[in-house]
Amino acid sequence: MIWHNGLPDLAQLTALGEGSMPGFLGIEFVEVGDDWIRARMPVNERTKQPYGRLHGGASVVLAETIGSVAGAMTVDPSQFAAVGLEINANHVRPAGDGFVYATARPEARGRTTQIWSIRIEDEAGKLVCISRFTLAIIARDRGAVAASSPRDK
């Protein structure tokens, strides 16, 4: 099993997104296995583009959300943070309603970087988007956002 503290609590992971983009888009963590995790997102007025299809940016938000959470769950949170470094996405087919499901699996989990593959499928199991997400693993004291920077003065 790859998870630092055993299988993650899916309700807790979903609750982490409340009040921020994952919560606003309705992302929910729904399943977890020894080396994978799955979340879903509704295809509705919050996640569609004006032509009635799932917005590609919403797919990327889903991919980055599940990849970031997955990476964070594999390291000691008292010492390390997992932060996004690079993401790409290939939009394969449209989704118009229901839910899309993202499954994240690690491709590489190194000391300083991780690479995750995220497959986003519709309710029929058809591929909607495939994404690759790279995380930097940094010391926790480097993970905090500074209140101000020298440029602000």
Side-chain angles (χ1 to χ4, degrees):
M1 182 177 338
I2 64 172
W3 312 114
H4 178 71
N5 286 322
L7 288 177
D9 180 312
L10 299 172
Q12 253 186 343
L13 297 181
T14 298
L16 285 173
E18 291 176 8
S20 61
M21 188 175 292
F24 298 144
L25 296 184
I27 295 172
E28 302 171 280
F29 287 83
V30 295
E31 286 183 86
V32 64
D34 286 347
D35 67 348
W36 58 271
I37 190 163
R38 182 170 294 133
R40 73 179 189 171
M41 180 177 70
V43 180
N44 61 21
E45 69 282 350
R46 294 176 293 175
T47 59
K48 288 182 182 180
Q49 37 101 312
Y51 300 110
R53 296 174 170 200
L54 178 63
H55 193 291
S59 294
V60 174
V61 169
L62 176 58
E64 185 155 351
T65 298
I66 193 171
S68 292
V69 169
M73 295 295 104
T74 66
V75 298
D76 179 349
S78 69
Q79 295 190 24
F80 300 101
V83 297
L85 192 60
E86 189 271 339
I87 191 165
N88 71 33
N90 295 103
H91 306 290
V92 177
R93 80 171 27 85
D97 56 16
F99 285 90
V100 288
Y101 291 82
T103 304
R105 295 180 189 274
E107 298 294 341
R109 292 187 314 113
R111 188 176 52 81
T112 59
T113 58
Q114 294 184 2
I115 301 168
W116 290 78
S117 290
I118 299 103
R119 289 182 60 90
I120 301 175
E121 299 173 340
D122 64 15
E123 291 178 308
K126 293 183 178 178
L127 184 64
V128 171
C129 176
I130 189 155
S131 179
R132 186 179 65 201
F133 182 46
T134 304
L135 290 160
I137 306 303
I138 61 173
R140 180 52 112 177
D141 59 357
R142 290 186 55 215
V145 176
S148 66
S149 72
R151 286 192 218 170
D152 294 338
K153 297 180 178 169

